[in-house]
Amino acid sequence: RTTPRSAEKRRHYSRLMNVPYQPTRPCQSRRLPVRGLEYHLHVWGDPMASDSPVLLMLHGFMDLGASFQFMVDAMREGRGIVAPDWRGFGRTAPAPAVDAYWFADYLGDLDALGDALSPDRPFDLLGHSMGGNVAMTYAGVRPSRVRRLINLEGFGLPDAPASEAPSRLALWLDQLKQPLSMKAHASREALAARLQHGNPRLGADQAAWLAGQWAEPDDLGRWHLRADASHRRVNPVLYRAEEALATWKAIQAPVLWVEGALSTPEAHWAGRYSRAEFHRRLSVVPDVRREILAEAAHMVHHDQPGTLARLVDGFL
């Protein structure tokens, strides 16, 4: 049986020897039919046998379910955990002939996943970034289905005025005529180096392991992200904050909001949206607890997996 001390020794060894991270709770890879797609699931424990509610973990944009491995390794055992790869990400293929992605499809997929994995009782829901936005909307639309909700850095988007509709739709139509592709990386090591450049808090062993999950090699040895290039097209549907708030007000589950102290939403949105504006929006949620993690930015589950795991375990 793996103990916290033995797990830390394995991680320390991986860092010293410059080898990929060694998970202490390896996941099972499973498939599940969801709305005409074969969804790929990362599964820890037995979701159907545990006395605790199943915990669904929803990854963010250009990410995949395996990204939660570091956090799961630090969590208490005994709970069934499932992290799907969203449609067109990871090992879940896109719908046939898809050329654009719609936010409502994520809600439809989540609803079907919940029915399959926890048909008779509410489940717990955790989402990061885009996954956090999906989780918040779903919990307001299906309030009786969610027991506890954890939102990791799912800030939402700047409010889009109606006047932007013509130019947004025109841009989308123009992009539909352009072929898209994902950037290839020369090697797994090159991708790992890019991951560390983007997040200097990521250990070399973590980056090496993530690179092998996020991408796969082609016949020439170049590594490509496991993501459909169509995700790069602009969304033609405007984000209306008023509609989001109407949904958030209907959330009945207690909500744990977690953000990184080093996160920079203002810079990401070039001043069009701020942390303060998000917290004003969050105040409409009936029952919310707010936490800030030091030495963590947007990828809180990579930067502080142990601290985050303790927060989540206690909240659940």
Side-chain angles (χ1 to χ4, degrees), residues 222-306:
R222 298 171 301 185
W223 284 68
H224 300 262
L225 293 182
R226 291 186 170 111
D228 181 10
S230 295
H231 286 292
R232 296 177 57 195
R233 290 194 172 96
V234 67
N235 193 321
V237 180
L238 299 179
Y239 184 89
R240 307 306 298 269
E242 187 176 1
E243 295 177 6
L245 294 181
T247 306
W248 291 8
K249 287 179 182 178
I251 295 174
Q252 295 178 3
V255 175
L256 173 64
W257 161 258
V258 183
E259 63 185 280
L262 304 178
S263 189
T264 56
E266 291 87 353
H268 178 78
W269 293 110
R272 294 188 295 125
Y273 185 40
S274 68
R275 189 189 301 259
E277 170 60 23
F278 167 76
H279 280 282
R280 284 193 291 271
R281 294 183 189 180
L282 191 61
S283 64
V284 306
V285 178
D287 183 358
V288 59
R289 169 184 165 190
R290 310 179 195 215
E291 295 286 348
I292 300 176
L293 294 189
E295 298 302 318
H298 185 60
M299 303 298 280
V300 289
H301 53 309
H302 293 171
D303 296 351
Q304 293 289 343

Side-chain angles (χ1 to χ4, degrees), residues 147-165:
R147 190 190 73 102
R148 295 282 188 277
L149 171 61
I150 301 103
N151 183 356
L152 310 178
E153 287 267 325
F155 282 98
L157 306 174
D159 186 41
S163 60
E164 291 185 7

Side-chain angles (χ1 to χ4, degrees), residues 105-180:
D105 273 327
Y106 299 123
L107 296 175
D109 294 351
L110 176 56
D111 200 44
L113 285 165
D115 288 346
L117 297 169
S118 186
D120 301 322
R121 60 176 176 173
F123 50 89
D124 293 329
L125 196 55
L126 178 149
H128 171 251
S129 195
M130 183 189 81
N133 296 325
V134 176
M136 293 285 283
T137 301
Y138 184 80
V141 175
R142 293 276 199 237
S144 64
R145 293 291 285 133
V146 181
R147 190 190 73 102
R148 295 282 188 277
L149 171 61
I150 301 103
N151 183 356
L152 310 178
E153 287 267 325
F155 282 98
L157 306 174
D159 186 41
S163 60
E164 291 185 7
S167 59
R168 178 76 67 85
L169 287 166
L171 176 59
W172 181 67
L173 291 175
D174 291 340
Q175 288 184 347
L176 287 178
K177 300 176 183 180
Q178 301 170 0
L180 293 175

